Amino acid sequence: MQDDLIARAKAWLTEDPDADTRAELAQLIDAEDVPELTARFAGTLQFGTAGLRGELGAGPMRMNRSVVIRAAAGLAAYLTKQGHTNGLVVIGYDARHKSADFAADTAAVMTGAGLRAAVLPRPLPTPVLAFAIRHLGAVAGVEVTASHNPPRDNGYKVYLGDGSQIVPPADAEIAAEIAAITSLHDVPRPTTGWDTLDDAVLHAYLTRTDAVLAPTSPRTARTVYTAMHGVGKDTLLAAFARAGFPPPVLVPEQADPDPEFPTVAFPNPEEPGAMDLAFAVARETNPDLIIANDPDADRCAVAVKEKADWRMLRGDEVGALLAAHLVNRGAQGTFAESIVSSSLLGRIAEKAGLPYEETLTGFKWIARVEGLRYGYEEALGYCVDPEGVRDKDGITAALLITELASTLKEEGRTLLGLLDDLAVEHGLHATDQLSVRVEDLSLITAAMDRLREHPPTHLAGLPITRTDDLTRGTAKLPPTDGLRYTLDGARVIVRPSGTEPKLKCYLEVVIPVKTHADLQSAHTQARTLLTTIKQDLSTAAGI
């Protein structure tokens, strides 16, 4: 077994085009580090609806140039078989370690396969790539990013020509083409032949952001902004300047790209501590709101002052605020969200007489809703201009929430006040999440098995009136690994994360509210229920 492992590692080494990972793998082979080699050669990174994502390093279970070249060759073969010979593939990348190399390798493989390739001029937000696909009439797009994953990770996200991320069966068909590649020596990789785009596509994207706002809306709200060590700063500042908002005050330690993400354990605004530096700047400057992007700027986080200090709004709260703002502006079209997001959006759409749809988790599904006008999901993702960007977009979402804050400011109101008004109108929709990060993925499988074999009948004393095993699909949803529990006045969904080693449980309780005077007691009741549901669910899942 050990001899076979060493032989496979040596065979991989002969094809590896990257000096860094070659040296890394050679050292492991020389040391005969069987545990580490076993981990790296236990299989291959699986290409799925999130593309690829994993830890950087040598071997087929890590993100590296060899894995990326195979993925690009599989995508090129798929596109060719779909009749897209000579079609354009646009490639974007973030500022993580190896991102520029992975983008260049992808361009070389596409060119070698007879396709045309164009690479964005520098690290730019993911929504710029999603925009460029439609704007340039490409047949596909690739974004090299690991979004908000830890610094050691990178990823490979694939879009098709409609500008939205891949969904089944395209993912499986691309994966099959990747698996059919036997040797990197068989993959042509010329050193020239693709285009590096200039700033024209970025300018076209920024021109499009102007249309997100109402022409005569107030532009007075003052913001503090953090790019979370990612690529959002320059694009967001340019968009805010074009719109006429006051220049955001930057969080200096996090303003510029840094692949080490030195000030945060996880570069995700939702993670504990990630917003601490932004809060500190806000205490000094007293803005109207704080805006944060994740490192590839497709997500947008918002924080507001509550009493004496600052707090993050939940993604569901921002989702409802943006929906209410668009309804107030007379937006027409379908409002959509993922099944793990708050049911408040459905109430808002119904009251406004607008179509409403639920989808599986991820913008690859939300973006495909027919007639989409607005889509969001609780993980800080918002699509406010689906004709321009068929994906979540942290830049245009930041513009729209700042417009709303400006409008309310002119009226002597606040974002929190509008949330209170929505609670009185539709009931208090309070959400929370139980999220467990694991090293051993089998723990997630065991938790899901336990819930299926020994299903809970009550949570927080509330009877479960319906259980949906989402692996069977529903009338409107394709199958996915998840469980949905419906309770009297509450809802719980449990699912493995598609992008991180996490088990995620999404909780919502709905408390009727008659008047503003009843809000405090409703919030107290909701907090108690959510805490108890979390405890009971944790026990039931064994996590």
Side-chain angles (χ1 to χ4, degrees):
M1 175 70 82
Q2 181 173 330
D3 290 345
D4 175 62
L5 178 63
I6 297 293
R8 284 190 287 131
K10 286 182 176 178
W12 183 273
L13 185 64
T14 64
E15 293 189 353
D16 190 337
D18 190 307
D20 293 337
T21 47
R22 277 202 312 274
E24 180 185 315
L25 185 55
Q27 186 174 6
L28 293 174
I29 293 170
D30 291 344
E32 296 187 354
D33 189 338
V34 172
E36 189 63 27
L37 287 170
T38 299
R40 290 164 184 251
F41 286 84
T44 59
L45 277 184
Q46 292 303 300
F47 187 93
T49 50
L52 294 168
R53 197 175 290 190
E55 186 176 346
L56 288 162
M61 287 295 289
R62 298 287 186 266
M63 281 296 296
N64 51 63
R65 290 182 61 197
S66 297
V67 166
V68 164
I69 289 166
R70 281 180 164 82
L75 174 60
Y78 167 82
L79 292 172
T80 301
K81 287 184 178 179
Q82 294 292 313
H84 295 308
T85 307
N86 200 41
L88 174 66
V89 179
V90 189
I91 303 150
Y93 59 102
D94 67 11
R96 286 177 178 264
H97 292 300
K98 298 291 181 182
S99 287
D101 292 339
F102 295 168
D105 282 331
T106 301
V109 170
M110 296 301 161
T111 303
L115 294 151
R116 293 177 294 124
V119 183
L120 294 183
R122 59 185 173 280
L124 286 167
T126 292
V128 177
L129 181 277
F131 167 83
I133 295 166
R134 292 166 65 83
H135 179 68
L136 298 174
V139 299
V142 171
E143 177 70 18
V144 180
T145 182
S147 190
H148 57 274
N149 274 39
R152 64 181 182 272
D153 289 2
N154 213 327
Y156 198 81
K157 186 184 292 188
V158 176
Y159 297 77
L160 293 182
D162 62 355
S164 55
Q165 297 173 51
I166 55 169
V167 295
D171 56 342
E173 292 170 6
I174 295 169
E177 296 293 347
I178 295 170
I181 295 157
T182 55
S183 170
L184 289 192
H185 300 310
D186 299 332
V187 179
R189 285 186 292 128
T191 56
T192 59
W194 59 89
D195 293 328
T196 298
L197 298 169
D198 59 20
D199 278 349
V201 71
L202 175 61
H203 291 152
Y205 168 81
L206 288 169
T207 300
R208 181 84 200 184
T209 66
D210 298 346
V212 172
L213 305 176
T216 59
S217 63
R219 312 284 166 93
T220 56
R222 295 178 302 107
T223 55
V224 161
Y225 172 71
T226 174
M228 206 65 70
H229 298 296
V231 299
K233 180 192 73 173
D234 291 345
T235 304
L236 182 131
L237 291 181
F240 270 54
R242 292 176 66 99
F245 287 114
V249 176
L250 301 179
V251 177
E253 302 92 333
Q254 298 176 335
D256 294 318
D258 187 334
E260 293 297 324
F261 303 99
T263 69
V264 287
F266 293 97
N268 178 355
E270 293 179 294
E271 293 284 347
M275 295 289 287
D276 286 356
L277 289 171
F279 291 164
V281 173
R283 291 182 194 113
E284 294 173 1
T285 58
N286 197 33
D288 297 297
L289 71 164
I290 300 171
I291 299 288
N293 286 139
D294 67 340
D296 68 326
D298 63 350
R299 288 173 169 85
C300 176
V302 180
V304 295
K305 194 167 188 180
E306 186 174 51
K307 297 178 181 176
D309 209 352
W310 291 80
R311 80 160 174 96
M312 276 271 292
L313 294 179
R314 292 189 169 277
D316 284 317
E317 292 176 311
V318 177
L321 288 169
L322 292 175
H325 183 44
L326 288 170
V327 166
N328 192 51
R329 279 181 30 184
Q332 294 296 309
T334 301
F335 280 29
E337 64 180 341
S338 62
I339 57 172
V340 300
S341 304
S342 172
S343 59
L344 177 56
L345 184 69
R347 303 275 182 97
I348 292 171
E350 182 182 22
K351 179 97 182 258
L354 295 175
Y356 164 77
E357 293 287 341
E358 273 190 328
T359 75
L360 292 183
T361 308
F363 267 83
K364 58 184 175 283
W365 300 108
I366 294 171
R368 285 178 159 73
V369 168
E370 188 173 346
L372 181 67
R373 174 58 185 88
Y374 168 65
Y376 98 92
E377 68 178 2
E378 51 71 45
L380 310 182
Y382 314 95
C383 175
V384 301
D385 177 25
E387 291 306 307
V389 176
R390 281 194 182 275
D391 198 6
K392 53 189 177 291
D393 183 345
I395 305 297
T396 50
L399 288 170
L400 198 62
I401 196 70
T402 307
E403 178 186 61
L404 173 57
S406 299
T407 301
L408 294 171
K409 183 179 181 180
E410 297 299 299
E411 298 169 357
R413 302 166 66 204
T414 64
L415 294 173
L416 289 177
L418 179 53
L419 283 172
D420 287 346
D421 294 344
L422 291 172
V424 172
E425 186 174 3
H426 302 288
L428 175 63
H429 290 62
T431 59
D432 202 352
Q433 191 178 128
L434 173 64
S435 182
V436 182
R437 185 182 292 271
V438 300
E439 292 292 332
D440 181 359
L441 290 175
S442 69
L443 295 175
I444 293 177
T445 303
M448 296 298 293
D449 289 345
R450 180 170 178 165
L451 288 170
R452 288 188 170 102
E453 292 164 9
H454 306 285
T457 58
H458 291 74
L459 293 171
L462 300 174
I464 294 175
T465 59
R466 175 172 174 168
T467 299
D468 295 310
D469 189 337
L470 299 176
T471 56
R472 302 188 183 109
T474 71
K476 290 192 172 184
L477 300 174
T480 189
D481 188 8
L483 293 163
R484 178 168 58 187
Y485 303 111
T486 303
L487 304 90
D488 185 16
R491 181 219 64 198
V492 174
I493 294 175
V494 184
R495 59 179 283 272
S497 169
T499 56
E500 298 177 90
K502 284 182 175 181
L503 182 69
K504 290 189 169 184
C505 311
Y506 305 85
L507 325 174
E508 179 178 42
V509 298
V510 182
I511 311 294
V513 181
K514 290 183 179 179
T515 69
H516 283 76
D518 300 315
L519 279 167
Q520 186 172 346
S521 63
H523 279 287
T524 301
Q525 184 183 351
R527 279 194 298 270
T528 301
L529 272 175
L530 288 169
T531 299
T532 311
I533 289 173
K534 267 205 264 192
Q535 293 168 347
D536 291 354
L537 188 61
S538 181
T539 300
I543 54 176

